[in-house]
């Protein structure tokens, strides 16, 4: 029984200390976004990165198609000089 009372007293102390934490200052402050002046650097980086990734994907796809066609030609090539 005494251990239970001690636990209750401990929880009261913790609960009493918790509201004081609400008044501490934070290093990170949440601000409302200013829609009148967008972050053009972030917008440019987002679209530029997207365009670069799409460019790399298209380039890789074209290289893969060319390699596929080359191997398909090599499979169909039946000459006695090459083999």
């Amino acid at each position: 029984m005494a251990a239970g009372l001690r636990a209750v007293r401990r929880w009261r102390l913790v609960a009493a200390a918790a509201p004081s934490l609400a008044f501490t200052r934070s290093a990170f402050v949440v601000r409302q976004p200013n829609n009148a002046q967008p972050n053009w650097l972030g917008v440019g980086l987002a679209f530029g990165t997207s365009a670069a990734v799409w460019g790399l994907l298209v380039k890789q796809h074209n290289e893969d198609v060319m390699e596929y066609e080359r191997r398909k030609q090599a499979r169909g090539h039946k000459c006695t000089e090459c083999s």
Side-chain angles (χ1 to χ4, degrees), residues 1-82:
M1 183 74 169
L5 289 175
R6 275 183 284 197
V8 169
R9 285 186 198 141
R10 234 183 266 148
W11 281 110
R12 279 190 202 148
L13 291 175
V14 170
S20 66
L21 295 176
F23 299 109
T24 60
R25 287 186 72 160
S26 174
F28 304 101
V29 179
V30 177
R31 291 183 278 157
Q32 291 290 331
N34 185 2
N35 293 329
Q37 293 181 345
N39 180 3
W40 290 112
L41 178 64
V43 171
L45 283 173
F47 280 113
T49 303
S50 179
V53 168
W54 273 104
L56 287 172
L57 285 172
V58 169
K59 180 181 172 238
Q60 184 65 45
H61 172 72
N62 290 338
E63 288 175 1
D64 289 344
V65 168
M66 286 180 6
E67 180 68 16
Y68 171 76
E69 293 295 332
R70 186 189 65 77
R71 289 185 183 193
K72 191 165 98 175
Q73 284 285 345
R75 268 195 321 260
H77 184 73
K78 305 278 186 204
C79 96
T80 55
E81 296 172 8
C82 296

